[in-house]
């Protein structure tokens, strides 16, 4: 209905939008949440690939991205708040994918049927 209202409005400027459309719904597109400036600043000068490899080596066993993010945060001195850990995990997920492509890390099964466990490859 909203699309139809827009078309009619383009032809008839005096047209009143239908009662079925709700303008408060707004844009339904998914927007990325802004990253924490603390996390961004702390991670800016860090070699993420090297730090992730160190975290995986120190863990000694396969770990999830969330666990990796918590250990990474402790390593670089970021507060372990849920919002920070979520942002870090999102960033480290991309790093882990890059390291997988390079053959440096690998998937080592799943935990809870969804969470992928990561380990150093060789």
């Amino acid at each position: 209905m909203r699309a139809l209202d827009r078309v009619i409005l383009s032809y008839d400027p005096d047209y009143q939008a239908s009662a079925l459309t709700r303008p408060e719904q707004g844009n339904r597109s998914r927007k990325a949440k802004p990253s924490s400036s603390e996390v961004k600043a702390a991670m800016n000068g860090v070699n993420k690939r090297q730090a992730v490899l160190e975290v995986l080596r120190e863990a000694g066993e396969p770990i999830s991205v969330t666990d990796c993010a918590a250990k990474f945060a402790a390593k670089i001195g970021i507060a372990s708040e849920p919002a920070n850990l979520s942002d870090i995990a999102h960033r480290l997920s991309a790093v882990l994918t890059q390291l997988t492509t390079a053959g440096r890390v690998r998937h080592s099964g799943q935990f809870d049927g969804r969470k992928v466990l990561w380990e150093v490859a060789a």
Side-chain angles (χ1 to χ4, degrees):
M1 286 301 295
R2 185 175 298 156
L4 186 59
D5 284 340
R6 285 185 188 167
V7 170
I8 293 172
L9 189 59
S10 69
Y11 289 104
D12 183 9
D14 296 329
Y15 174 75
Q16 295 297 319
S18 117
L20 297 175
T21 61
R22 289 187 238 158
E24 64 271 4
Q25 287 179 348
N27 187 358
R28 289 187 178 194
S29 67
R30 186 175 177 167
K31 295 180 182 176
K33 67 177 185 174
S35 62
S36 164
S37 58
E38 177 188 4
V39 171
K40 189 174 182 178
M43 290 182 75
N44 194 23
V46 175
N47 182 342
K48 292 172 229 21
R49 292 171 64 125
Q50 180 181 358
V52 167
L53 287 171
E54 287 175 7
V55 166
L56 290 174
R57 281 189 196 107
E58 290 168 2
E61 63 184 9
I63 60 173
S64 69
V65 174
T66 306
D67 294 335
C68 187
K71 292 177 186 222
F72 183 88
K75 185 179 233 15
I76 63 173
I78 297 176
S80 294
E81 298 173 6
N84 288 350
L85 292 180
S86 175
D87 190 16
I88 293 169
H90 179 73
R91 292 169 185 263
L92 294 186
S93 179
V95 172
L96 286 165
T97 301
Q98 292 170 357
L99 289 169
T100 301
T101 304
R104 304 290 306 267
V105 300
R106 65 177 173 228
H107 296 243
S108 179
Q110 291 185 333
F111 175 71
D112 283 345
R114 293 183 0 192
K115 295 180 182 178
V116 175
L117 297 177
W118 299 89
E119 67 181 356
V120 176

